Amino acid sequence: MNIEWDAGKYTKDFSFVHQYGNDAAELIDCKAGGAVLDLGCGNGSLTNRLKNKGFHVIGIDDSEDLLNVARSNYPDINFIKADAAAFTLNKPVDAVFSNAVFHWIDKDKQPSMLSCVYNALKDNGQFVFEFGGHGNNALIHGELEKAFLKYGYYYKMPFYFPTIGEYASLVEQAGFQVRYAVLFVRPTELKGEQGLKDWIDMFVKTPFLAVASPEDAESIKTMAVRNLKHVLYKNGKWYADYVRIRMKAYKD
Ligand code: BEZ
């Protein structure tokens, strides 16, 4: 994944990420006791929610910092450190679930990730996921790109936000049958008066590695936030322009 996580701040100020994942999780229709893998489980909140639904859960994540939080909060869940695009399970599961993860995986690694998921599932197993789709945060990235240029830098987009058609094709090419697919707009409230600045600090890290000084980085963020205020700040609250892809597919 393209990020070093600040696990404490993520858990404290960005809990909406896993709260929004609940709706997608409703698409899993295994019996109680069914085995479910939470791929990119982060701090384990949603993994625990799945456990409370009666599933036998496993969480996989590549961030040791997030896994430390997950293991300390939910010591009875099996959390495994692994790359989502290069993992195997000892025993196949009934369902693989993932929320807000796949946009962090580079486009060229998506086929390996989908093939790992396919191999991790039992025959007819379910693959249920949600992540950022085409147009996700387009206003934010557009203004960051302009601000980078103004200060003499190139903005390299750090996320993969495919169209629904592109992604459904990839999922089919991996051997799945797609039975449900939707792309929808979901303005997402951010926490506090500094909500957008905090969001950029938390999630948009890699493009700033190319910025020569902390002063330039701050100026870029200030400019982008100022230019976005008239569209993303309403009635005293910041809203990020989220667009989601949600799908359910079966191992054929
Ligand atoms: C998302 O959930 O869509 C997302 C979150 C942070 C950065 C990029 C996308």
Side-chain angles (χ1 to χ4, degrees), residues 3 5 16-17 99-101 103-104 130-133 136-137 141 159 161 186 199 202-204 242-244:
I3 192 173
W5 290 96
F16 67 82
V17 175
N99 177 56
V101 173
H103 46 251
W104 293 100
E130 179 172 318
F131 71 107
N136 198 36
N137 310 138
H141 293 297
F159 302 108
F161 297 136
R186 192 199 67 205
W199 186 94
M202 171 61 63
F203 294 121
V204 188
Y242 275 44
V243 176
R244 318 311 289 164

PDB file of all heavy atoms in Angstrom, residues 3 5 16-17 99-101 103-104 130-133 136-137 141 159 161 186 199 202-204 242-244, ligand 1:
ATOM      1  N   ILE A   3       1.206   3.971   1.698  1.00  0.00           N
ATOM      2  CA  ILE A   3       1.103   4.878   2.855  1.00  0.00           C
ATOM      3  C   ILE A   3       1.775   4.279   4.081  1.00  0.00           C
ATOM      4  O   ILE A   3       1.840   3.062   4.237  1.00  0.00           O
ATOM      5  CB  ILE A   3      -0.392   5.197   3.176  1.00  0.00           C
ATOM      6  CG1 ILE A   3      -0.511   6.348   4.165  1.00  0.00           C
ATOM      7  CG2 ILE A   3      -1.115   3.975   3.665  1.00  0.00           C
ATOM      8  CD1 ILE A   3      -1.918   6.845   4.423  1.00  0.00           C
ATOM      9  N   TRP A   5       0.927   4.465   7.939  1.00  0.00           N
ATOM     10  CA  TRP A   5      -0.247   4.890   8.700  1.00  0.00           C
ATOM     11  C   TRP A   5       0.126   5.501  10.033  1.00  0.00           C
ATOM     12  O   TRP A   5       1.027   5.011  10.708  1.00  0.00           O
ATOM     13  CB  TRP A   5      -1.156   3.690   8.948  1.00  0.00           C
ATOM     14  CG  TRP A   5      -1.816   3.230   7.698  1.00  0.00           C
ATOM     15  CD1 TRP A   5      -1.393   2.225   6.889  1.00  0.00           C
ATOM     16  CD2 TRP A   5      -2.996   3.767   7.097  1.00  0.00           C
ATOM     17  NE1 TRP A   5      -2.252   2.111   5.821  1.00  0.00           N
ATOM     18  CE2 TRP A   5      -3.242   3.037   5.926  1.00  0.00           C
ATOM     19  CE3 TRP A   5      -3.869   4.802   7.442  1.00  0.00           C
ATOM     20  CZ2 TRP A   5      -4.322   3.302   5.094  1.00  0.00           C
ATOM     21  CZ3 TRP A   5      -4.947   5.061   6.616  1.00  0.00           C
ATOM     22  CH2 TRP A   5      -5.167   4.311   5.454  1.00  0.00           C
ATOM     23  N   PHE A  16     -14.991   7.191  10.653  1.00  0.00           N
ATOM     24  CA  PHE A  16     -16.050   7.073   9.647  1.00  0.00           C
ATOM     25  C   PHE A  16     -15.678   6.040   8.579  1.00  0.00           C
ATOM     26  O   PHE A  16     -16.551   5.447   7.969  1.00  0.00           O
ATOM     27  CB  PHE A  16     -16.355   8.434   8.993  1.00  0.00           C
ATOM     28  CG  PHE A  16     -15.237   9.002   8.150  1.00  0.00           C
ATOM     29  CD1 PHE A  16     -15.039   8.586   6.844  1.00  0.00           C
ATOM     30  CD2 PHE A  16     -14.384   9.971   8.668  1.00  0.00           C
ATOM     31  CE1 PHE A  16     -14.016   9.103   6.064  1.00  0.00           C
ATOM     32  CE2 PHE A  16     -13.360  10.497   7.901  1.00  0.00           C
ATOM     33  CZ  PHE A  16     -13.178  10.060   6.600  1.00  0.00           C
ATOM     34  N   VAL A  17     -14.376   5.808   8.371  1.00  0.00           N
ATOM     35  CA  VAL A  17     -13.961   4.880   7.316  1.00  0.00           C
ATOM     36  C   VAL A  17     -14.566   3.501   7.573  1.00  0.00           C
ATOM     37  O   VAL A  17     -15.198   2.908   6.700  1.00  0.00           O
ATOM     38  CB  VAL A  17     -12.415   4.794   7.207  1.00  0.00           C
ATOM     39  CG1 VAL A  17     -12.006   3.734   6.190  1.00  0.00           C
ATOM     40  CG2 VAL A  17     -11.817   6.145   6.819  1.00  0.00           C
ATOM     41  N   ASN A  99     -13.108  -3.230   2.809  1.00  0.00           N
ATOM     42  CA  ASN A  99     -13.671  -1.878   2.793  1.00  0.00           C
ATOM     43  C   ASN A  99     -12.561  -0.829   2.727  1.00  0.00           C
ATOM     44  O   ASN A  99     -11.634  -0.847   3.535  1.00  0.00           O
ATOM     45  CB  ASN A  99     -14.493  -1.631   4.069  1.00  0.00           C
ATOM     46  CG  ASN A  99     -15.025  -0.204   4.118  1.00  0.00           C
ATOM     47  OD1 ASN A  99     -15.711   0.237   3.203  1.00  0.00           O
ATOM     48  ND2 ASN A  99     -14.676   0.526   5.153  1.00  0.00           N
ATOM     49  N   ALA A 100     -12.694   0.072   1.732  1.00  0.00           N
ATOM     50  CA  ALA A 100     -11.810   1.247   1.616  1.00  0.00           C
ATOM     51  C   ALA A 100     -10.336   0.869   1.528  1.00  0.00           C
ATOM     52  O   ALA A 100      -9.489   1.494   2.187  1.00  0.00           O
ATOM     53  CB  ALA A 100     -12.060   2.205   2.785  1.00  0.00           C
ATOM     54  N   VAL A 101     -10.041  -0.158   0.743  1.00  0.00           N
ATOM     55  CA  VAL A 101      -8.666  -0.643   0.650  1.00  0.00           C
ATOM     56  C   VAL A 101      -8.140  -0.642  -0.794  1.00  0.00           C
ATOM     57  O   VAL A 101      -7.007  -0.202  -1.047  1.00  0.00           O
ATOM     58  CB  VAL A 101      -8.573  -2.085   1.215  1.00  0.00           C
ATOM     59  CG1 VAL A 101      -7.196  -2.697   0.975  1.00  0.00           C
ATOM     60  CG2 VAL A 101      -8.911  -2.097   2.705  1.00  0.00           C
ATOM     61  N   HIS A 103      -8.304   1.048  -3.460  1.00  0.00           N
ATOM     62  CA  HIS A 103      -7.752   2.244  -4.128  1.00  0.00           C
ATOM     63  C   HIS A 103      -6.296   2.496  -3.718  1.00  0.00           C
ATOM     64  O   HIS A 103      -5.600   3.269  -4.361  1.00  0.00           O
ATOM     65  CB  HIS A 103      -8.614   3.492  -3.856  1.00  0.00           C
ATOM     66  CG  HIS A 103      -9.003   3.664  -2.432  1.00  0.00           C
ATOM     67  ND1 HIS A 103     -10.288   3.468  -1.989  1.00  0.00           N
ATOM     68  CD2 HIS A 103      -8.285   3.998  -1.329  1.00  0.00           C
ATOM     69  CE1 HIS A 103     -10.339   3.690  -0.682  1.00  0.00           C
ATOM     70  NE2 HIS A 103      -9.139   4.010  -0.262  1.00  0.00           N
ATOM     71  N   TRP A 104      -5.846   1.847  -2.622  1.00  0.00           N
ATOM     72  CA  TRP A 104      -4.441   2.005  -2.197  1.00  0.00           C
ATOM     73  C   TRP A 104      -3.508   1.085  -2.976  1.00  0.00           C
ATOM     74  O   TRP A 104      -2.284   1.193  -2.852  1.00  0.00           O
ATOM     75  CB  TRP A 104      -4.300   1.668  -0.709  1.00  0.00           C
ATOM     76  CG  TRP A 104      -4.994   2.618   0.200  1.00  0.00           C
ATOM     77  CD1 TRP A 104      -6.210   2.447   0.809  1.00  0.00           C
ATOM     78  CD2 TRP A 104      -4.532   3.909   0.622  1.00  0.00           C
ATOM     79  NE1 TRP A 104      -6.519   3.543   1.565  1.00  0.00           N
ATOM     80  CE2 TRP A 104      -5.516   4.458   1.477  1.00  0.00           C
ATOM     81  CE3 TRP A 104      -3.373   4.653   0.348  1.00  0.00           C
ATOM     82  CZ2 TRP A 104      -5.374   5.717   2.063  1.00  0.00           C
ATOM     83  CZ3 TRP A 104      -3.240   5.898   0.929  1.00  0.00           C
ATOM     84  CH2 TRP A 104      -4.227   6.419   1.784  1.00  0.00           C
ATOM     85  N   GLU A 130     -15.995  -2.673  -1.079  1.00  0.00           N
ATOM     86  CA  GLU A 130     -16.303  -1.273  -1.417  1.00  0.00           C
ATOM     87  C   GLU A 130     -14.984  -0.496  -1.379  1.00  0.00           C
ATOM     88  O   GLU A 130     -14.144  -0.735  -0.515  1.00  0.00           O
ATOM     89  CB  GLU A 130     -17.292  -0.703  -0.398  1.00  0.00           C
ATOM     90  CG  GLU A 130     -17.637   0.748  -0.669  1.00  0.00           C
ATOM     91  CD  GLU A 130     -18.774   1.239   0.227  1.00  0.00           C
ATOM     92  OE1 GLU A 130     -19.769   0.508   0.436  1.00  0.00           O
ATOM     93  OE2 GLU A 130     -18.641   2.368   0.727  1.00  0.00           O
ATOM     94  N   PHE A 131     -14.814   0.414  -2.322  1.00  0.00           N
ATOM     95  CA  PHE A 131     -13.635   1.296  -2.295  1.00  0.00           C
ATOM     96  C   PHE A 131     -13.908   2.507  -3.185  1.00  0.00           C
ATOM     97  O   PHE A 131     -15.019   2.661  -3.705  1.00  0.00           O
ATOM     98  CB  PHE A 131     -12.362   0.524  -2.699  1.00  0.00           C
ATOM     99  CG  PHE A 131     -12.264   0.124  -4.164  1.00  0.00           C
ATOM    100  CD1 PHE A 131     -11.378   0.776  -5.019  1.00  0.00           C
ATOM    101  CD2 PHE A 131     -13.041  -0.899  -4.693  1.00  0.00           C
ATOM    102  CE1 PHE A 131     -11.255   0.411  -6.354  1.00  0.00           C
ATOM    103  CE2 PHE A 131     -12.946  -1.273  -6.027  1.00  0.00           C
ATOM    104  CZ  PHE A 131     -12.048  -0.622  -6.855  1.00  0.00           C
ATOM    105  N   GLY A 132     -12.892   3.366  -3.345  1.00  0.00           N
ATOM    106  CA  GLY A 132     -13.090   4.603  -4.090  1.00  0.00           C
ATOM    107  C   GLY A 132     -13.178   4.354  -5.588  1.00  0.00           C
ATOM    108  O   GLY A 132     -12.279   3.753  -6.177  1.00  0.00           O
ATOM    109  N   GLY A 133     -14.282   4.847  -6.189  1.00  0.00           N
ATOM    110  CA  GLY A 133     -14.460   4.653  -7.630  1.00  0.00           C
ATOM    111  C   GLY A 133     -14.114   5.905  -8.418  1.00  0.00           C
ATOM    112  O   GLY A 133     -13.744   6.947  -7.846  1.00  0.00           O
ATOM    113  N   ASN A 136     -13.629   9.706  -7.381  1.00  0.00           N
ATOM    114  CA  ASN A 136     -13.482   9.847  -5.931  1.00  0.00           C
ATOM    115  C   ASN A 136     -12.509  10.991  -5.605  1.00  0.00           C
ATOM    116  O   ASN A 136     -11.397  11.033  -6.146  1.00  0.00           O
ATOM    117  CB  ASN A 136     -12.936   8.539  -5.342  1.00  0.00           C
ATOM    118  CG  ASN A 136     -13.149   8.432  -3.847  1.00  0.00           C
ATOM    119  OD1 ASN A 136     -14.164   8.875  -3.315  1.00  0.00           O
ATOM    120  ND2 ASN A 136     -12.194   7.826  -3.160  1.00  0.00           N
ATOM    121  N   ASN A 137     -12.948  11.901  -4.759  1.00  0.00           N
ATOM    122  CA  ASN A 137     -12.113  13.033  -4.321  1.00  0.00           C
ATOM    123  C   ASN A 137     -11.532  13.836  -5.493  1.00  0.00           C
ATOM    124  O   ASN A 137     -10.430  14.405  -5.390  1.00  0.00           O
ATOM    125  CB  ASN A 137     -10.941  12.547  -3.427  1.00  0.00           C
ATOM    126  CG  ASN A 137     -11.385  11.643  -2.306  1.00  0.00           C
ATOM    127  OD1 ASN A 137     -10.742  10.640  -2.027  1.00  0.00           O
ATOM    128  ND2 ASN A 137     -12.485  11.960  -1.651  1.00  0.00           N
ATOM    129  N   HIS A 141      -8.233  16.286  -5.362  1.00  0.00           N
ATOM    130  CA  HIS A 141      -6.989  16.013  -6.111  1.00  0.00           C
ATOM    131  C   HIS A 141      -6.758  17.063  -7.193  1.00  0.00           C
ATOM    132  O   HIS A 141      -5.612  17.429  -7.481  1.00  0.00           O
ATOM    133  CB  HIS A 141      -7.020  14.604  -6.698  1.00  0.00           C
ATOM    134  CG  HIS A 141      -6.984  13.543  -5.629  1.00  0.00           C
ATOM    135  ND1 HIS A 141      -5.911  13.380  -4.774  1.00  0.00           N
ATOM    136  CD2 HIS A 141      -7.899  12.622  -5.253  1.00  0.00           C
ATOM    137  CE1 HIS A 141      -6.177  12.410  -3.911  1.00  0.00           C
ATOM    138  NE2 HIS A 141      -7.377  11.925  -4.180  1.00  0.00           N
ATOM    139  N   PHE A 159      -3.585   7.285  -5.953  1.00  0.00           N
ATOM    140  CA  PHE A 159      -4.668   6.302  -5.796  1.00  0.00           C
ATOM    141  C   PHE A 159      -5.144   5.747  -7.131  1.00  0.00           C
ATOM    142  O   PHE A 159      -4.985   6.379  -8.173  1.00  0.00           O
ATOM    143  CB  PHE A 159      -5.873   6.945  -5.084  1.00  0.00           C
ATOM    144  CG  PHE A 159      -5.531   7.497  -3.739  1.00  0.00           C
ATOM    145  CD1 PHE A 159      -5.474   8.864  -3.528  1.00  0.00           C
ATOM    146  CD2 PHE A 159      -5.235   6.652  -2.683  1.00  0.00           C
ATOM    147  CE1 PHE A 159      -5.138   9.387  -2.288  1.00  0.00           C
ATOM    148  CE2 PHE A 159      -4.895   7.159  -1.440  1.00  0.00           C
ATOM    149  CZ  PHE A 159      -4.844   8.528  -1.243  1.00  0.00           C
ATOM    150  N   PHE A 161      -8.593   4.805  -8.834  1.00  0.00           N
ATOM    151  CA  PHE A 161     -10.052   4.959  -8.750  1.00  0.00           C
ATOM    152  C   PHE A 161     -10.671   4.565 -10.088  1.00  0.00           C
ATOM    153  O   PHE A 161     -10.944   5.426 -10.947  1.00  0.00           O
ATOM    154  CB  PHE A 161     -10.432   6.415  -8.424  1.00  0.00           C
ATOM    155  CG  PHE A 161      -9.951   6.935  -7.098  1.00  0.00           C
ATOM    156  CD1 PHE A 161      -9.388   8.194  -7.001  1.00  0.00           C
ATOM    157  CD2 PHE A 161     -10.092   6.176  -5.933  1.00  0.00           C
ATOM    158  CE1 PHE A 161      -8.960   8.700  -5.775  1.00  0.00           C
ATOM    159  CE2 PHE A 161      -9.660   6.667  -4.701  1.00  0.00           C
ATOM    160  CZ  PHE A 161      -9.093   7.925  -4.630  1.00  0.00           C
ATOM    161  N   ARG A 186     -21.047   9.794  -2.409  1.00  0.00           N
ATOM    162  CA  ARG A 186     -21.340   9.839  -0.974  1.00  0.00           C
ATOM    163  C   ARG A 186     -20.509  10.941  -0.289  1.00  0.00           C
ATOM    164  O   ARG A 186     -19.420  10.691   0.231  1.00  0.00           O
ATOM    165  CB  ARG A 186     -21.009   8.487  -0.336  1.00  0.00           C
ATOM    166  CG  ARG A 186     -21.565   8.371   1.077  1.00  0.00           C
ATOM    167  CD  ARG A 186     -20.870   7.271   1.857  1.00  0.00           C
ATOM    168  NE  ARG A 186     -19.490   7.584   2.127  1.00  0.00           N
ATOM    169  CZ  ARG A 186     -18.550   6.670   2.343  1.00  0.00           C
ATOM    170  NH1 ARG A 186     -18.820   5.385   2.295  1.00  0.00           N
ATOM    171  NH2 ARG A 186     -17.303   7.034   2.589  1.00  0.00           N
ATOM    172  N   TRP A 199      -7.454  15.687   6.765  1.00  0.00           N
ATOM    173  CA  TRP A 199      -7.647  14.567   5.827  1.00  0.00           C
ATOM    174  C   TRP A 199      -6.456  14.484   4.863  1.00  0.00           C
ATOM    175  O   TRP A 199      -5.926  13.404   4.610  1.00  0.00           O
ATOM    176  CB  TRP A 199      -8.959  14.782   5.056  1.00  0.00           C
ATOM    177  CG  TRP A 199      -9.367  13.662   4.159  1.00  0.00           C
ATOM    178  CD1 TRP A 199     -10.213  12.636   4.461  1.00  0.00           C
ATOM    179  CD2 TRP A 199      -8.970  13.449   2.789  1.00  0.00           C
ATOM    180  NE1 TRP A 199     -10.362  11.802   3.362  1.00  0.00           N
ATOM    181  CE2 TRP A 199      -9.607  12.286   2.331  1.00  0.00           C
ATOM    182  CE3 TRP A 199      -8.130  14.144   1.924  1.00  0.00           C
ATOM    183  CZ2 TRP A 199      -9.431  11.783   1.041  1.00  0.00           C
ATOM    184  CZ3 TRP A 199      -7.944  13.645   0.634  1.00  0.00           C
ATOM    185  CH2 TRP A 199      -8.601  12.480   0.203  1.00  0.00           C
ATOM    186  N   MET A 202      -3.443  13.191   6.634  1.00  0.00           N
ATOM    187  CA  MET A 202      -3.530  11.760   6.957  1.00  0.00           C
ATOM    188  C   MET A 202      -3.364  10.876   5.719  1.00  0.00           C
ATOM    189  O   MET A 202      -2.662   9.869   5.744  1.00  0.00           O
ATOM    190  CB  MET A 202      -4.895  11.479   7.625  1.00  0.00           C
ATOM    191  CG  MET A 202      -5.256  10.024   7.828  1.00  0.00           C
ATOM    192  SD  MET A 202      -4.135   9.069   8.877  1.00  0.00           S
ATOM    193  CE  MET A 202      -4.295   9.907  10.425  1.00  0.00           C
ATOM    194  N   PHE A 203      -4.017  11.259   4.615  1.00  0.00           N
ATOM    195  CA  PHE A 203      -4.126  10.319   3.495  1.00  0.00           C
ATOM    196  C   PHE A 203      -3.274  10.655   2.273  1.00  0.00           C
ATOM    197  O   PHE A 203      -2.993   9.765   1.470  1.00  0.00           O
ATOM    198  CB  PHE A 203      -5.591  10.213   3.053  1.00  0.00           C
ATOM    199  CG  PHE A 203      -6.494   9.584   4.088  1.00  0.00           C
ATOM    200  CD1 PHE A 203      -7.580  10.271   4.606  1.00  0.00           C
ATOM    201  CD2 PHE A 203      -6.257   8.295   4.547  1.00  0.00           C
ATOM    202  CE1 PHE A 203      -8.417   9.691   5.555  1.00  0.00           C
ATOM    203  CE2 PHE A 203      -7.078   7.701   5.502  1.00  0.00           C
ATOM    204  CZ  PHE A 203      -8.158   8.397   6.009  1.00  0.00           C
ATOM    205  N   VAL A 204      -2.930  11.926   2.087  1.00  0.00           N
ATOM    206  CA  VAL A 204      -2.192  12.271   0.850  1.00  0.00           C
ATOM    207  C   VAL A 204      -0.733  12.524   1.209  1.00  0.00           C
ATOM    208  O   VAL A 204      -0.295  13.668   1.307  1.00  0.00           O
ATOM    209  CB  VAL A 204      -2.827  13.495   0.142  1.00  0.00           C
ATOM    210  CG1 VAL A 204      -2.178  13.702  -1.224  1.00  0.00           C
ATOM    211  CG2 VAL A 204      -4.335  13.312  -0.006  1.00  0.00           C
ATOM    212  N   TYR A 242     -16.586  11.999  -1.842  1.00  0.00           N
ATOM    213  CA  TYR A 242     -16.348  10.566  -2.031  1.00  0.00           C
ATOM    214  C   TYR A 242     -17.283   9.970  -3.082  1.00  0.00           C
ATOM    215  O   TYR A 242     -18.457  10.332  -3.170  1.00  0.00           O
ATOM    216  CB  TYR A 242     -16.593   9.811  -0.716  1.00  0.00           C
ATOM    217  CG  TYR A 242     -15.402   9.774   0.236  1.00  0.00           C
ATOM    218  CD1 TYR A 242     -14.633  10.893   0.478  1.00  0.00           C
ATOM    219  CD2 TYR A 242     -15.060   8.598   0.895  1.00  0.00           C
ATOM    220  CE1 TYR A 242     -13.554  10.863   1.353  1.00  0.00           C
ATOM    221  CE2 TYR A 242     -13.984   8.556   1.776  1.00  0.00           C
ATOM    222  CZ  TYR A 242     -13.238   9.689   1.999  1.00  0.00           C
ATOM    223  OH  TYR A 242     -12.174   9.642   2.858  1.00  0.00           O
ATOM    224  N   VAL A 243     -16.732   9.038  -3.854  1.00  0.00           N
ATOM    225  CA  VAL A 243     -17.514   8.229  -4.805  1.00  0.00           C
ATOM    226  C   VAL A 243     -17.121   6.776  -4.539  1.00  0.00           C
ATOM    227  O   VAL A 243     -15.924   6.460  -4.489  1.00  0.00           O
ATOM    228  CB  VAL A 243     -17.169   8.595  -6.276  1.00  0.00           C
ATOM    229  CG1 VAL A 243     -17.909   7.678  -7.244  1.00  0.00           C
ATOM    230  CG2 VAL A 243     -17.487  10.056  -6.572  1.00  0.00           C
ATOM    231  N   ARG A 244     -18.085   5.914  -4.317  1.00  0.00           N
ATOM    232  CA  ARG A 244     -17.766   4.519  -3.963  1.00  0.00           C
ATOM    233  C   ARG A 244     -18.122   3.531  -5.074  1.00  0.00           C
ATOM    234  O   ARG A 244     -19.144   3.715  -5.769  1.00  0.00           O
ATOM    235  CB  ARG A 244     -18.545   4.058  -2.712  1.00  0.00           C
ATOM    236  CG  ARG A 244     -18.644   5.031  -1.588  1.00  0.00           C
ATOM    237  CD  ARG A 244     -17.344   5.638  -1.206  1.00  0.00           C
ATOM    238  NE  ARG A 244     -16.435   4.741  -0.541  1.00  0.00           N
ATOM    239  CZ  ARG A 244     -15.129   5.025  -0.413  1.00  0.00           C
ATOM    240  NH1 ARG A 244     -14.603   6.116  -0.921  1.00  0.00           N
ATOM    241  NH2 ARG A 244     -14.333   4.180   0.208  1.00  0.00           N
TER     242      ARG A 244
HETATM  243  C1  BEZ B   1     -11.495   6.426   0.298  1.00  0.00           C
HETATM  244  O1  BEZ B   1     -11.923   5.743   1.222  1.00  0.00           O
HETATM  245  O2  BEZ B   1     -12.097   6.551  -0.762  1.00  0.00           O
HETATM  246  C2  BEZ B   1     -10.190   7.111   0.428  1.00  0.00           C
HETATM  247  C3  BEZ B   1      -9.708   7.431   1.669  1.00  0.00           C
HETATM  248  C4  BEZ B   1      -8.482   8.065   1.767  1.00  0.00           C
HETATM  249  C5  BEZ B   1      -7.768   8.365   0.663  1.00  0.00           C
HETATM  250  C6  BEZ B   1      -8.269   8.040  -0.586  1.00  0.00           C
HETATM  251  C7  BEZ B   1      -9.492   7.414  -0.696  1.00  0.00           C
END
